[in-house]
Amino acid sequence: GAVVSQHPSWVICKSGTSVKIECRSLDFQATTMFWYRQFPKQSLMLMATSNEGSKATYEQGVEKDKFLINHASLTLSTLTVTSAHPEDSSFYICSASPPGPYNEQFFGPGTRLTVL
Amino acid sequence: AQSVTQLDSQVPVFEEAPVELRCNYSSSVSVYLFWYVQYPNQGLQLLLKYLSGSTLVKGINGFEAEFNKSQTSFHLRKPSVHISDTAEYFCAVSKVQGGSEKLVFGKGTKLTVNP
């Protein structure tokens, strides 16, 4: 149980285009989903927290207009990188947290974004 | 604010040797503690977690960790490692709080198991 999927697993796009990444909880309802960014050989940096049906909460320094997050259902959250540039190339990982007291997060396999 | 320190960025060991990956945290409130493993180009997999109760926590793949409140540590151990344990290991902490609380990660420790 507690499986989280991401799609696509990798994507290459041209500078200036927008890219959408999907995060799905396959066997549980996720009231909260998190989006992380990981640069090579570094730790995960939390970008934003999204709760179903409400606006995402962005971490300091993360541009909300550039990284659009939608959490329209209890099993799906999307991250759209708008007008992508080479510096947006990174590994994006989502996690999902079911209702409950333990704050456990289940992580997706990640999406490798390369902007040319 | 919470923070997590993983003292070793890289730990090389030989196969079948024991290993300890160190993690210290700072927090003024009660916390939950986690260890995750990340294989290349993959997401994170939970190894084990401390929520409450026994301070010795056993996880998957033969790993265990001990919560030491007085030393604010949560070191990860395995008595005999395999080549397949080569990966990046992350320690994380979250506050004890109802609902979902964000995780704060350490910078990671790269474990390399050599034959």
Side-chain angles (χ1 to χ4, degrees):
Chain A
V3 178
V4 176
S5 69
Q6 277 184 247
H7 178 79
S9 55
W10 58 271
V11 57
I12 301 173
C13 69
K14 293 182 179 180
S15 185
T17 60
S18 295
V19 175
K20 180 186 283 188
I21 302 170
E22 292 186 349
C23 177
R24 293 181 185 272
S25 57
L26 299 183
D27 50 5
F28 67 98
Q29 293 186 328
T31 49
T32 305
M33 288 184 169
F34 301 85
W35 286 96
Y36 295 85
R37 185 173 180 176
Q38 186 180 31
F39 290 105
K41 300 185 179 180
Q42 294 190 29
S43 189
L44 280 72
M45 298 298 295
L46 180 65
M47 299 174 67
T49 303
S50 88
N51 292 293
E52 186 266 338
S54 62
K55 290 184 178 180
T57 302
Y58 289 81
E59 294 299 300
Q60 192 172 8
V62 177
E63 299 175 59
K64 60 181 67 178
D65 293 331
K66 179 160 189 67
F67 298 100
L68 301 179
I69 291 172
N70 183 277
H71 192 163
S73 78
L74 287 172
T75 59
L76 173 64
S77 176
T78 60
L79 167 68
T80 301
V81 183
T82 62
S83 187
H85 289 99
E87 58 266 30
D88 298 323
S89 298
S90 190
F91 195 51
Y92 293 88
I93 303 175
C94 75
S95 71
S97 189
Y102 295 132
N103 308 334
E104 184 166 354
Q105 294 180 29
F106 298 94
F107 286 81
T111 296
R112 173 76 59 194
L113 170 63
T114 301
V115 185
L116 302 177
Chain B
Q2 303 152 87
S3 68
V4 178
T5 302
Q6 291 183 243
L7 295 165
D8 306 300
S9 59
Q10 296 187 56
V11 173
V13 295
F14 287 109
E15 193 173 16
E16 297 183 4
V19 71
E20 177 179 83
L21 306 183
R22 296 180 291 171
C23 172
N24 287 87
Y25 68 94
S26 65
S27 176
S28 58
V29 299
S30 296
V31 294
Y32 296 135
L33 294 156
F34 306 83
W35 273 100
Y36 288 89
V37 60
Q38 184 180 35
Y39 298 100
N41 296 311
Q42 295 186 30
L44 273 66
Q45 180 181 4
L46 181 67
L47 276 177
L48 47 79
K49 60 189 176 190
Y50 172 78
L51 304 178
S52 65
S54 173
T55 57
L56 182 62
V57 180
K58 293 190 181 297
I60 63 171
N61 301 341
F63 284 94
E64 64 180 32
E66 185 155 19
F67 170 59
N68 188 317
K69 188 173 182 179
S70 62
Q71 296 186 7
T72 61
S73 68
F74 191 55
H75 301 332
L76 181 71
R77 301 186 183 100
K78 185 170 182 177
S80 176
V81 294
H82 300 132
I83 298 286
S84 59
D85 291 323
T86 295
E88 190 87 25
Y89 291 80
F90 293 96
C91 181
V93 62
S94 72
K95 285 192 296 188
V96 174
Q97 181 173 311
S100 293
E101 178 65 28
K102 58 185 178 183
L103 291 172
V104 175
F105 286 89
K107 292 189 175 182
T109 297
K110 169 68 174 171
L111 174 65
T112 302
V113 181
N114 298 301

